[in-house]
């Protein structure tokens, strides 16, 4: 297997790396690389989680075969480069879905495990890793949930070595369409109350991050259920052909867009039937949507705070709304306690995610938000972060030292380190 020099970037396009990539096409070619470098997928982490500057990484996207589908037990065995959207398209007509799906269908199975991703059903179904029954590392080692290395691998940022394949326990569901009810929430308190009270299987909220005063925290709650029926297939995605100019996301433009977006849902609410892709992966309809933030890219801040920290969310939204830095992309969700790894992001509470164009003041604002999340007993999401410092992390992840000990024992030469793990000194935790 040859290594070739490449430059690549995180999804936010703020951070990039130049190094060597190997792109195996068969599992037999992966095994000899197992101890040399970390694996990467479609690079949908926003910051530097998939970057290895002046180093090496293994691109897994061509290792995407389905190895076994056991319909009777509802278990699928897939290579790590398969995407979650491909599995959904293949499985839905057979009456199954991946039990947990993140907000982009381009995420690979290996990436979903390495980040222990969550979906719109986390409050009920838990994290992705809780539905993984077996992981096969490229070294040949097979991990089950009883193996201590399993907890270091799930949510473990790829630091136990490349994942070759995994077995997933699937969700049985008749899934032709999604039945989606949209309701306005006029204030932050009413929004959080509706999230707490919802009994829907899938919930997600868009929040107007520019609203102030009595309208602070207003938004639209979507509640979804799988269903059977006919609906036209999702339209093919359009592509953003160029980097958007700076004025496209200027504060007055964002405020106007948010006002119109909020108003598109009638005050009495409404129920729609949507293709499953449109509900689970709404942004995937626009390929290269990250170009909408211009050449300098963007940062995303995502945190989770305990249910008792409503005041912290209010404080964060006041800072965001008055900064003039917010974009239309802001999401509020309810999380349950489910998590499967030492460094899994989820915890019971509310998770807030907001995109910010990369410009003067953005990093400072995000640093303030990180400090607020930590002070409230919350944590940030490594899949999205590009701003935090090493000293921000201790206390957010109580099992960090245990994780570091496990991965350092298996990789004493630190071949699997990425720019993220180095920036945050994660493997130096004691």
């Amino acid at each position: 297997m040859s290594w070739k020099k490449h430059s690549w970037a995180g999804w936010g396009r703020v951070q990039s790396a130049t190094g060597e990539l190997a792109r195996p096409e068969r599992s037999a070619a992966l095994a000899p690389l197992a101890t040399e470098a970390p694996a990467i997928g479609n690079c949908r982490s926003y910051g530097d989680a998939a970057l290895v500057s002046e180093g090496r990484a293994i691109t897994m996207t061509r290792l995407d075969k389905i190895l076994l589908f056991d319909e009777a037990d509802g278990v699928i065995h897939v290579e790590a480069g398969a995407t979650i959207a491909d599995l959904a398209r293949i499985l839905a007509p057979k009456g199954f879905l991946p039990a947990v799906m993140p907000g982009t269908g381009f995420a690979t199975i290996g990436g979903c495990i390495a980040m222990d991703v969550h979906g719109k059903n986390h409050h009920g179904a838990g994290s992705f890793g809780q539905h993984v029954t077996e992981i096969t590392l490229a070294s040949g080692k097979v991990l089950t949930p009883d193996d201590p290395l399993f907890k270091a691998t799930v949510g473990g940022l790829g630091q136990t070595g490349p994942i070759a394949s995994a077995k997933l326990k699937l969700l049985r569901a008749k899934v032709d369409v999604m039945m989606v009810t949209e309701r306005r929430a006029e204030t932050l308190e009413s929004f959080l109350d509706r999230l707490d009270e919802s009994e829907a299987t899938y919930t997600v909220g868009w929040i107007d991050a520019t609203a102030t005063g009595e309208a602070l925290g207003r938004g639209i709650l979507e509640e979804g259920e799988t269903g059977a029926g006919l609906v036209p297939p999702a339209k093919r995605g359009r592509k953003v052909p160029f980097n958007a100019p700076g004025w496209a996301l200027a504060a007055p433009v964002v405020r106007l867009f948010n006002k119109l977006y909020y108003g598109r849902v009638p005050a009495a609410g409404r129920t729609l039937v949507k293709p499953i892709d449109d509900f689970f992966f709404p942004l995937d309809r626009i390929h290269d949507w990250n170009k909408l933030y211009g050449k300098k890219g963007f940062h995303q801040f995502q945190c989770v705070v305990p249910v008792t920290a409503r005041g912290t969310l209010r404080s964060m939204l006041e800072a965001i709304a008055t900064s003039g830095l917010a974009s239309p992309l802001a999401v509020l969700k309810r999380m349950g306690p489910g998590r499967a790894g030492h460094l899994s992001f989820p915890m019971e509470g509310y998770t807030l995610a907001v995109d910010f164009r990369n410009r003067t003041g953005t990093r400072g604002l995000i640093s303030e938000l990180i400090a607020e999340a930590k002070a409230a007993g919350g944590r940030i999401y490594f899949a999205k972060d590009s701003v935090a410092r090493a000293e921000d992390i201790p206390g957010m992840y109580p099992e960090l030292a245990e994780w570091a000990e496990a991965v350092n024992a298996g990789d004493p030469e630190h071949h699997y380190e990425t720019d993220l793990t180095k920036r945050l000194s994660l493997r130096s935790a004691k």
Side-chain angles (χ1 to χ4, degrees), residues 64 74 179 184 188 192 218 319 386:
D64 59 354
M179 308 293 292
R184 289 187 193 177
L188 177 61
L192 296 176
R218 72 177 181 181
S386 54

Side-chain angles (χ1 to χ4, degrees), residues 63-245:
L63 298 174
D64 59 354
K65 297 182 182 65
I66 294 176
L67 303 174
L68 176 71
F69 175 45
D70 183 342
E71 190 166 348
D73 288 339
V75 173
I76 194 166
H77 187 194
V78 293
E79 290 184 328
T83 67
I84 204 76
D86 285 343
L87 290 190
R89 278 192 286 270
I90 293 168
L91 293 169
K94 302 178 186 295
F96 293 91
L97 275 182
V100 171
M101 294 193 284
T104 173
F106 290 106
T108 62
I109 298 306
C112 289
I113 294 172
M115 291 296 173
D116 196 15
V117 298
H118 56 276
K120 298 176 177 66
N121 59 345
H122 184 270
H123 55 287
S127 69
F128 189 88
Q130 291 180 281
H131 304 274
V132 176
T133 62
E134 185 178 289
I135 296 170
T136 300
L137 298 177
S139 63
K141 187 174 181 59
V142 177
L143 308 176
T144 62
D146 294 331
D147 191 314
L149 201 57
F150 186 92
K151 286 192 71 175
T153 301
V154 176
L157 309 173
Q159 298 301 296
T160 60
I163 296 168
S165 64
K167 292 182 179 178
L168 314 176
K169 184 68 175 177
L170 301 171
L171 173 70
R172 292 180 187 272
K174 182 65 177 175
V175 194
D176 297 321
V177 297
M178 291 298 298
M179 308 293 292
V180 182
T181 297
E182 298 177 329
R183 293 187 291 160
R184 289 187 193 177
E186 296 180 349
T187 66
L188 177 61
E189 287 300 316
S190 64
F191 206 150
L192 296 176
D193 287 343
R194 288 188 173 185
L195 282 170
D196 289 349
E197 295 163 1
S198 177
E199 296 180 351
T201 303
Y202 299 93
T203 60
V204 63
W206 170 82
I207 194 165
D208 181 356
T210 64
T212 58
E214 293 183 356
L216 182 83
R218 72 177 181 181
I220 298 169
L221 175 63
E222 293 188 6
E223 299 171 293
E225 300 290 348
T226 57
L230 296 175
V231 68
K235 295 180 180 178
R236 294 189 61 183
R238 297 183 177 180
K239 189 178 180 69
V240 178
F242 52 80
N243 292 300

Side-chain angles (χ1 to χ4, degrees), residues 151 339 341-343 379 396-404:
K151 286 192 71 175
R339 60 200 303 268
H342 293 306
L343 297 192
R379 59 175 66 116
M396 289 187 180
Y397 286 88
E399 299 169 51
L400 177 60
E402 189 175 350
W403 170 83

Side-chain angles (χ1 to χ4, degrees), residues 301-305 313 316 345 350-353 373 379-381:
F301 166 75
Q302 183 169 3
C303 72
V304 57
V305 297
L313 288 176
M316 287 179 173
F345 168 69
Y350 306 107
T351 179
L352 174 68
R379 59 175 66 116
I380 59 168
Y381 192 11

